[in-house]
Amino acid sequence: MYAFTSVFANPVGSPIRELFKYLSEPGMISFAGGYPASDLFDIDGLAAAQARAFAQPTRCLQYGPTDGLADLKMQLVALMASRGAPCTAESLLVTTGSQQGLDLLLRVMVSPGDVVVTEQPAYPATLQALRLQQAKIVTVPVDAHGLDVAHLDTLLREGRIAIPKLLYTVPTFANPTGATLSRERRIDLLKLALEYRFIIVEDDPYGDLRFAGDAVPTLLGLTAEVPGSRDWVVHFSSLSKIVAPGLRVGWTVAPPEIARRCVVAKQTVDLCSVPWTQAVAAEYLADGALTRHLPKITEAYRHKCNALCEALRETLGDTIAFHAPQGGMFVWARLAAMKTSDLLPHAIAEKVLFVPGTAFFAEQADAASLRLSFAAPGISAIEEGVARLARAMQATGKTVP
Amino acid sequence: MYAFTSVFANPVGSPIRELFKYLSEPGMISFAGGYPASDLFDIDGLAAAQARAFAQPTRCLQYGPTDGLADLKMQLVALMASRGAPCTAESLLVTTGSQQGLDLLLRVMVSPGDVVVTEQPAYPATLQALRLQQAKIVTVPVDAHGLDVAHLDTLLREGRIAIPKLLYTVPTFANPTGATLSRERRIDLLKLALEYRFIIVEDDPYGDLRFAGDAVPTLLGLTAEVPGSRDWVVHFSSLSKIVAPGLRVGWTVAPPEIARRCVVAKQTVDLCSVPWTQAVAAEYLADGALTRHLPKITEAYRHKCNALCEALRETLGDTIAFHAPQGGMFVWARLAAMKTSDLLPHAIAEKVLFVPGTAFFAEQADAASLRLSFAAPGISAIEEGVARLARAMQATGKTVP
């Protein structure tokens, strides 16, 4: 009856959100969500920040600047400097989660048919956002050290792909693979972007969640070592995974000309992000609460990740392959001889959830892959969840539920 | 250096936001903003709602459903019923202000070149959103009784305009004109939409701010009297003007097929609006606080509107023409013999701000018009502001600053 735009003629919802209906089933253990652990939220710290923020109620309750509350921007500029990626307030805008930052950037920069390179596998909401903007998605594979930059170099040098407008990457503790791009590859990627004049979109929600190994600088920070490359990096970050998603506080650091256009787009899209939670975030950061609380999260995630990896090794042995990540929230795995989409109904019957890897592929999906998040469940739930996975795998070999 | 999309090649920021830089000047009296009065916020009521909401911290701090927190949706469904426009939860989605509702709807329904009818004059952010989606904007004039529906009927019947995809209207206390569409015209508009199969986009942020005259049902409510027309109405509302903009709680009521697609778009755009302020809003509404507090706002606005209209009549007499509105936040006026863009620099010199009417026209701007908001300034500031306007008008007749 209605004439929808072409991309909404047959809309496909998020494949991960489709699994949410099972979450409420009693006794379900979920490795599926990209949710941080609720029981690790700094409730006292946030309540205190809320009290300080609401001491100036108008700042919380009135419309705020489109680019973000000045106090919060100042704190985020300081946070970026502490991460080795200093930036100006002018180049930073606050968004409703970093997801909105991507949406704004694509609307400002990507015309239908423009080529955008993504990692393969990649975060499904990014693939959806690219489809919504009618980008032509070109994928480059990921290995244990992140994006295969040498392969991208070859593709570009041999003219096998068009020069992209953007390249999207989660270089640190990627979603879904958990992989971290090596320092060498980061430098090479910056040089490629500079040479071919495409923009690297560095999405960095997980970088602070390191619990093993040595830190690798962000691409934004490394631009200092590749003169001229700063013009070709747009950086997203977020408090969702290190403080709480419910704040919906993300931010974009971009070359000023790009940042300015994203702000103009945001005027039209939602006028401003929620000033109230921006004020809470500003107070939380100003107090040093993030620095105090973050080790509690990373320490818990370290234990959870270890528990998951050990249980997978002990219980599933050679039937599963994976690299243990050094941070973040995800273990990416491959089953030896099974489609994970066949496994899923048996897993649901056994009351355990995961995301089949096909959700993360724009093309040529690896049917044997799956993503397991260790962030939300507790240690004993993780161990029990893996036992259930094992039972589901046995059942898959025999019958279809 | 960068290749932006066509609509961002030469971006034009909001003409109203351009004026904001003058707001911080000491002693400035502003009739310019579309901001509600900060001193009328129900700070105690919202602090109490916040305390109740944060008693369940995970609901505030974790990701929420894309279509909105279930508790809030239940309250908004009840609010819509109390306004005489009952709807199902399935047809309602919560957005980051109603501005985001419009953005989502346009992305779902408007392809480049599609015709969209707007009132003339109209809210500039709507015109910007339409340009961003590359709609072809067709304007229909507004008089003291709102959109000239008979004129639209003629345009359609004589084939002088293409059948639009959408028609956007603020039928009650419009921004900028303050006009309210009569009941008869509403019925006629619903019949037209049904006949020509276009969607009426009813933006209703001000409807509850009535301080004079008799209530007129919403277009959504009146669909009950025009069988079949319900399929052709999308309704936006918001807590921004009746509770606080800083919550950024707006909502869309749409036919389920449209609502579902808006939710899919929102998954990609920002995953979910801020759960924290949604929870606060749910508690605020559940407590009946809106019903208790709203009369304080409307009563204050009644006094402010009267003060502005009286001062304009007494001080400016025949040099200004306007209709006193029965609610909302705006007086739309016309100067007898002066361009308001010429007046503005003199007004700024006299420390008083308004928005020149040209900001609200998609075409053929009325250069003598201006919008005055009475919501934010106090009574004495309103009186002093009009005195300053009079001095600025005198100065405009003599010199250029």
Side-chain angles (χ1 to χ4, degrees):
Chain A
M1 174 155 109
Y2 305 110
F4 295 105
T5 54
S6 58
V7 286
F8 282 101
N10 298 295
V12 179
S14 155
I16 299 179
R17 295 233 149 195
E18 285 299 302
L19 296 174
F20 282 14
K21 59 185 173 222
Y22 301 108
L23 284 180
S24 54
E25 290 190 9
M28 184 65 76
I29 294 173
S30 176
F31 298 120
Y35 284 26
S38 297
D39 55 359
L40 293 171
F41 291 148
D42 182 9
I43 292 169
D44 292 343
L46 286 163
Q50 150 64 26
R52 289 193 300 278
F54 210 71
Q56 296 175 254
T58 298
R59 186 175 56 146
C60 296
L61 297 176
Q62 191 52 277
Y63 288 108
T66 302
D67 60 334
L69 284 191
D71 289 351
L72 177 59
K73 289 188 62 168
M74 197 174 71
Q75 292 299 325
L76 295 175
V77 164
L79 180 60
M80 291 305 298
S82 77
R83 290 175 175 177
C87 66
T88 63
E90 184 196 12
S91 65
L92 187 149
L93 66 138
V94 177
T95 54
T96 306
S98 54
Q99 183 74 26
Q100 189 191 40
L102 178 64
D103 184 57
L104 294 174
L105 181 72
L106 296 185
R107 291 175 84 169
V108 161
M109 302 223 66
V110 175
S111 303
D114 279 352
V115 171
V116 176
V117 170
T118 66
E119 299 162 319
Q120 166 116 309
Y123 175 47
T126 295
L127 299 176
Q128 279 290 79
L130 291 171
R131 291 184 191 114
L132 185 51
Q133 201 62 17
Q134 300 177 62
K136 181 170 170 2
I137 298 172
V138 171
T139 63
V140 171
V142 169
D143 62 24
H145 306 288
L147 186 79
D148 187 344
V149 177
H151 183 66
L152 173 64
D153 190 334
T154 303
L155 291 176
L156 287 166
R157 229 159 276 288
E158 296 181 356
R160 285 158 60 191
I161 62 170
I163 295 172
K165 179 72 79 79
L166 309 176
L167 175 144
Y168 174 88
T169 178
V170 184
T172 308
F173 315 135
N175 182 0
T177 66
T180 293
L181 192 66
S182 67
R183 192 182 206 285
E184 294 67 32
R185 289 192 186 181
R186 290 179 192 229
I187 295 288
D188 290 344
L189 184 57
L190 288 169
K191 287 177 180 168
L192 269 188
L194 183 61
E195 178 179 351
Y196 289 97
R197 301 170 71 85
F198 61 82
I199 288 172
I200 298 169
V201 182
E202 175 178 47
D203 195 357
D204 187 34
Y206 309 110
D208 277 356
L209 295 178
R210 177 175 288 280
F211 46 71
D214 297 323
V216 183
T218 59
L219 286 154
L220 186 67
L222 284 171
T223 56
E225 300 189 14
V226 183
S229 65
R230 177 86 185 200
D231 292 337
W232 300 101
V233 175
V234 173
H235 179 99
F236 297 134
S237 192
S238 170
L239 298 183
S240 291
K241 306 304 192 290
I242 57 175
V243 182
L247 299 170
R248 306 305 297 118
V249 169
W251 62 97
T252 301
V253 179
E257 203 181 335
I258 296 175
R260 186 170 68 84
R261 283 170 168 83
C262 289
V263 172
V264 173
K266 190 168 163 61
Q267 284 177 356
T268 298
V269 164
D270 65 5
L271 298 176
C272 63
S273 293
V274 173
W276 190 335
T277 56
Q278 287 185 63
V280 171
E283 295 292 342
Y284 189 79
L285 294 172
D287 181 53
L290 175 63
T291 313
R292 285 196 300 278
H293 187 75
L294 190 57
K296 296 179 192 170
I297 298 176
T298 52
E299 189 62 6
Y301 283 5
R302 185 171 71 81
H303 285 293
K304 290 176 181 219
C305 182
N306 287 346
L308 177 60
C309 293
E310 278 172 32
L312 290 174
R313 275 187 216 107
E314 285 177 18
T315 313
L316 301 178
D318 289 344
T319 62
I320 194 165
F322 62 92
H323 294 279
Q326 298 190 316
M329 297 167 44
F330 304 111
V331 168
W332 180 246
R334 241 186 142 260
L335 300 183
M338 195 172 288
K339 285 189 183 179
T340 50
S341 56
D342 293 342
L343 174 61
L344 184 64
H346 292 278
I348 290 169
E350 291 283 350
K351 301 272 186 202
V352 61
L353 274 185
F354 62 87
V355 183
T358 49
F360 303 94
F361 287 81
E363 56 189 1
Q364 298 172 316
D366 177 358
S369 61
L370 71 163
R371 188 190 76 175
L372 299 164
S373 169
F374 50 79
I379 300 287
S380 60
I382 287 172
E383 290 165 351
E384 170 61 19
V386 173
R388 292 179 186 180
L389 263 186
R391 289 201 295 275
M393 285 169 69
Q394 288 182 322
T396 309
K398 294 172 192 157
T399 60
V400 175
Chain B
M1 174 154 108
Y2 305 111
F4 295 105
T5 55
S6 59
V7 286
F8 283 100
N10 298 295
V12 180
S14 156
I16 299 179
R17 294 234 150 195
E18 286 299 303
L19 295 174
F20 282 13
K21 60 185 172 220
Y22 300 108
L23 283 180
S24 55
E25 290 190 9
M28 184 65 76
I29 294 174
S30 176
F31 297 121
Y35 283 25
S38 296
D39 55 359
L40 293 171
F41 290 148
D42 182 9
I43 292 168
D44 292 344
L46 286 162
Q50 150 63 26
R52 289 193 300 277
F54 210 71
Q56 296 176 61
T58 298
R59 186 175 56 147
C60 296
L61 297 176
Q62 191 52 277
Y63 287 108
T66 302
D67 60 333
L69 284 191
D71 290 352
L72 176 59
K73 288 188 63 167
M74 198 175 70
Q75 292 299 327
L76 294 176
V77 165
L79 180 61
M80 291 306 296
S82 76
R83 289 176 176 177
C87 66
T88 63
E90 185 196 11
S91 65
L92 187 149
L93 66 139
V94 177
T95 54
T96 307
S98 55
Q99 182 76 25
Q100 190 191 38
L102 177 64
D103 184 57
L104 294 173
L105 181 72
L106 296 184
R107 293 175 83 169
V108 161
M109 302 223 65
V110 175
S111 303
D114 278 353
V115 171
V116 176
V117 170
T118 67
E119 300 162 318
Q120 166 117 309
Y123 175 47
T126 296
L127 299 176
Q128 279 289 80
L130 291 171
R131 291 185 191 115
L132 185 52
Q133 202 61 18
Q134 301 177 60
K136 181 171 171 359
I137 299 171
V138 171
T139 63
V140 171
V142 169
D143 63 24
H145 305 288
L147 187 79
D148 188 343
V149 177
H151 182 66
L152 173 64
D153 191 332
T154 303
L155 291 175
L156 286 166
R157 230 160 273 290
E158 296 182 355
R160 285 158 58 192
I161 61 171
I163 295 172
K165 180 71 80 77
L166 309 177
L167 176 143
Y168 174 89
T169 177
V170 184
T172 307
F173 315 133
N175 181 359
T177 67
T180 293
L181 192 66
S182 68
R183 194 183 204 285
E184 295 68 30
R185 288 192 186 182
R186 289 178 192 230
I187 296 286
D188 290 344
L189 183 58
L190 289 169
K191 288 178 179 167
L192 269 189
L194 185 60
E195 180 179 351
Y196 289 96
R197 302 169 71 84
F198 62 81
I199 288 173
I200 299 170
V201 182
E202 175 178 46
D203 196 356
D204 187 34
Y206 310 110
D208 277 355
L209 295 178
R210 177 175 288 279
F211 46 72
D214 296 324
V216 183
T218 60
L219 285 153
L220 186 67
L222 284 171
T223 56
E225 300 189 17
V226 183
S229 64
R230 177 86 186 200
D231 292 336
W232 300 102
V233 175
V234 173
H235 179 99
F236 298 135
S237 191
S238 170
L239 298 183
S240 291
K241 306 304 193 290
I242 57 175
V243 182
L247 299 169
R248 306 304 297 117
V249 169
W251 63 97
T252 301
V253 179
E257 204 182 334
I258 296 175
R260 185 170 68 84
R261 282 171 169 82
C262 289
V263 172
V264 173
K266 190 167 163 61
Q267 284 177 355
T268 298
V269 164
D270 66 4
L271 298 177
C272 63
S273 292
V274 174
W276 191 333
T277 56
Q278 288 185 63
V280 171
E283 295 293 341
Y284 189 79
L285 294 172
D287 180 53
L290 176 64
T291 313
R292 285 196 301 278
H293 187 75
L294 190 58
K296 295 179 192 170
I297 297 176
T298 51
E299 189 62 7
Y301 283 6
R302 186 172 70 81
H303 285 293
K304 290 176 181 216
C305 182
N306 288 345
L308 176 61
C309 292
E310 279 173 30
L312 290 174
R313 277 187 215 105
E314 284 178 19
T315 312
L316 301 179
D318 289 345
T319 62
I320 194 165
F322 62 92
H323 295 278
Q326 298 189 318
M329 297 166 44
F330 305 112
V331 169
W332 179 248
R334 247 188 135 258
L335 300 183
M338 196 171 287
K339 285 188 181 178
T340 50
S341 57
D342 293 341
L343 174 61
L344 185 63
H346 291 280
I348 291 168
E350 291 284 349
K351 301 273 186 200
V352 61
L353 274 184
F354 63 87
V355 183
T358 48
F360 303 94
F361 287 82
E363 56 189 1
Q364 297 172 315
D366 178 357
S369 60
L370 71 164
R371 188 190 78 176
L372 299 163
S373 170
F374 50 80
I379 300 286
S380 60
I382 287 172
E383 290 165 350
E384 170 62 20
V386 173
R388 292 179 187 180
L389 263 187
R391 289 202 295 275
M393 285 168 69
Q394 287 181 322
T396 309
K398 293 174 193 157
T399 58
V400 175

